[in-house]
Amino acid sequence: MPDYDIVIRGGRLVTAAEVFDADLAIKDGTIAAIGRDLGPGREEIDATGKLLMPGGIDPHCHIEEVSQDGTVQEESFETGSRAALAGGTTSFICFKPQWRGKSLADSAPDYETRAARSLADYSFHQIITDPTPEALAEEIPALAARGIRSLKVFLTYDPLRLTDGEFLKVLARARQLGMLVTVHCENYDAIAWQQEALLAAGLTDPVQHAWARPPLVEREATVRAMALAEFVDQPLQIFHVSAGEVAEEIARAKGRGQKVWAETCTHYLTHTIEDLERPDFEGAKFVCSPALRDRGEADRLWDAIRAGTIDIVSSDHCGFSFATAKKDPGASSYGQGAAVVRPDGTPAFNAIPNGAPGIENRMTVLFSEGVSKGRIDLQTFVRLTSANAAERYGLGGRKGTLMPGADADIVLWDPEMEQTITIGEMHHAIDYTPWEGYRAKGWPVMTLRRGEIVMRDGAVLAEPGSGSFLARGPYAAIEPRGVFTNGFDNTRPDIPASR
Ligand code: DUC
Ligand code: ZN
Ligand code: ZN
């Protein structure tokens, strides 16, 4: 009678804290033991020469979002999560929509049913576009009670953006309820003003997307978001930092003791504004927001990673196929401003849907660019791809770690294997990958999700619907500091002010 379901022998384990050689045993979906001379498993896996790392957690992905006009994003939970498992990611957090003018319940009411088709474990950030008294008083507390512990607000995009006043209401309510607020920081009016001028001058190419939203529009909104969060004493997660000057402001706020954290995304580390200039409208593949910057900014992001200012790398997976949605002036998702159609029928830069697919390539590209090229060590890779997301989003102890009692979410990684990324091998539904032709060094060869082998040598074995919803929190990492700029608790006036 075997002692364990699976024993993985001879590998090198990597956690956020250490790298060590050990065997690892799995029973009933969790890690049962780590050590030497472990008893037999029903299945024995030889991991000689391989790394064992926590399965990735991608905390920022747009999957199968449903717009108010009924448009559904092409990437389904089935295809997106299959791509995740293929790339070593076992959990992701995606966005539950709220449509402006609608309650949370009446916005994309079938979203959770759709999500139940996932092959990977998943949770939600609730997008708030309309913080009505009912949403604040009843619906958001009900979400927290169900384990959806994070809210997402946009400071740009029609029709998603909040005013500063609306944003403050969300921050204050999140503080009362023990929820994390995540934010997309760009200055809506500055972008709109610049877009109008560019279009009036007849400048409509994909690259003008970046001209309309330079780093300073991101920096301004980031500083504003952090100031409003500081005013309310509410922890804040800044999404997709794309430039050094933004990271500098975040480092300053952290230095003042503010609970503010930051992620960047894989594409800001590898791609630049030059990709937006690719011929034959191919630049549209790289239209995402914030926009791609120059090579120097990517170097500054690596510096910010090494300094700990940026401690998560997400994919911001948000796929729109090149042959269809990216060329459709009527596409309704993630754009800003009225569509202008160019003589060849393609949309002007402001009407190209923003986003690129990346959930499958996130860990591979980060390993290759980061670890294989000597920019970061293995522990940092684990912190960036799973451990910090687990701590930040209320999954600590369960995900993002290798220790007895944790879910057996494990990726076996061959650090020497070289492979060329190409669309024919991708599992996502979108018709391109931004890393087409990229030769990666280091590759995931097996993924286990809660003790089940769900990917082996590139073949995804999990069934649709086998992923689990991850209820989260409450948890200590996002407790407010109890520090107010004026000593007055904006969110709990019943409690005496303290200085
Ligand atoms: N940025 C993107 O590129 N796509 C989706 C939303 C976002 O903020
Ligand atoms: Zn965003
Ligand atoms: Zn996003």
Side-chain angles (χ1 to χ4, degrees), residues 60 62 152 154 157 183-185 239-240 289-290 316 334:
H60 182 168
H62 302 262
K152 163 77 182 286
F154 291 90
Y157 289 131
V183 59
H184 175 125
C185 297
F239 273 161
H240 44 45
S289 287
D316 197 1
Y334 295 113

Side-chain angles (χ1 to χ4, degrees), residues 129-471:
T129 60
D130 203 355
T132 61
E134 296 72 34
L136 293 166
E138 289 155 29
E139 292 200 286
I140 295 178
L143 283 179
R146 289 203 297 120
I148 299 175
R149 284 270 157 193
S150 43
L151 304 173
K152 163 77 182 286
V153 304
F154 291 90
L155 301 185
T156 197
Y157 289 131
D158 291 315
L160 303 171
R161 72 194 172 105
L162 296 189
T163 64
D164 289 350
E166 290 169 330
F167 184 27
L168 278 166
K169 287 182 191 171
V170 174
L171 288 165
R173 195 64 175 129
R175 184 180 194 277
Q176 290 171 323
L177 296 167
M179 301 174 90
L180 181 61
V181 176
T182 67
V183 59
H184 175 125
C185 297
E186 287 185 291
N187 182 310
Y188 174 84
D189 286 310
I191 294 168
W193 176 79
Q194 188 67 103
Q195 282 181 339
E196 198 181 316
L198 289 164
L199 292 171
L203 297 170
T204 62
D205 288 345
V207 71
Q208 269 95 45
H209 169 76
W211 295 17
R213 37 213 319 157
L216 79 84
V217 307
E218 183 185 346
R219 168 163 53 85
E220 185 282 329
T222 304
V223 170
R224 180 160 37 99
M226 292 191 299
L228 296 179
E230 187 178 359
F231 192 28
V232 176
D233 184 38
Q234 164 60 26
L236 186 69
Q237 172 74 19
I238 311 284
F239 273 161
H240 44 45
V241 171
S242 72
E245 66 193 70
V246 180
E248 274 169 22
E249 296 296 344
I250 294 165
R252 254 183 225 126
K254 279 174 178 267
R256 289 194 296 272
Q258 195 176 345
K259 277 198 171 186
V260 57
W261 301 284
E263 61 160 39
T264 188
C265 309
T266 334
H267 41 275
Y268 298 116
L269 298 169
T270 56
H271 286 76
T272 67
I273 192 167
E274 286 173 20
D275 290 298
L276 287 161
E277 291 174 328
R278 292 199 196 183
D280 303 324
F281 200 62
E282 292 236 357
K285 293 179 176 175
F286 304 91
V287 167
C288 60
S289 287
L292 296 174
R293 312 301 186 194
D294 61 26
R295 178 60 46 209
E297 294 298 355
D299 292 341
R300 279 175 215 114
L301 292 177
W302 283 111
D303 290 342
I305 285 172
R306 282 185 291 265
T309 304
I310 291 173
D311 64 359
I312 291 176
V313 176
S314 75
S315 67
D316 197 1
H317 181 94
C318 188
F320 300 100
S321 279
F322 180 60
T324 51
K326 284 280 187 185
K327 290 182 175 164
D328 176 5
S332 57
S333 296
Y334 295 113
Q336 180 169 325
V340 174
V341 185
R342 307 189 322 157
D344 66 357
T346 56
F349 67 86
N350 67 316
I352 301 169
N354 288 202
I359 197 168
E360 186 162 355
N361 303 128
R362 177 185 72 120
M363 294 181 76
T364 320
V365 171
L366 189 68
F367 190 94
S368 188
E369 287 295 304
V371 179
S372 299
K373 292 193 176 170
R375 291 181 167 115
I376 55 172
D377 61 20
L378 285 166
Q379 296 98 310
T380 304
F381 177 77
V382 166
R383 286 197 287 272
L384 293 170
T385 55
S386 65
N388 288 344
E391 291 303 320
R392 185 76 35 80
Y393 293 108
L395 298 168
R398 183 173 170 196
K399 305 285 189 190
T401 187
L402 300 179
M403 65 179 185
D407 284 355
D409 292 349
I410 300 165
V411 58
L412 263 69
W413 202 276
D414 184 339
E416 300 302 324
M417 182 169 163
E418 294 194 24
Q419 184 102 342
T420 301
I421 293 175
T422 182
I423 185 61
E425 306 284 319
M426 294 290 103
H427 297 76
H428 64 229
I430 311 308
D431 67 359
Y432 74 100
T433 162
W435 292 279
E436 183 67 42
Y438 177 85
R439 184 96 184 140
K441 182 167 182 205
W443 199 264
V445 292
M446 182 182 288
T447 308
L448 295 97
R449 185 218 53 207
R450 283 177 282 110
E452 183 185 340
I453 298 172
V454 288
M455 185 279 283
R456 195 194 283 263
D457 297 327
V460 178
L461 309 169
E463 289 299 321
S466 57
S468 289
F469 169 68
L470 300 169

Side-chain angles (χ1 to χ4, degrees), residues 13-33:
L13 275 61
V14 186
T15 68
E18 53 186 339
V19 181
F20 57 103
D21 294 337
D23 303 334
L24 183 149
I26 297 169
K27 196 168 172 58
D28 298 331
T30 59
I31 297 174

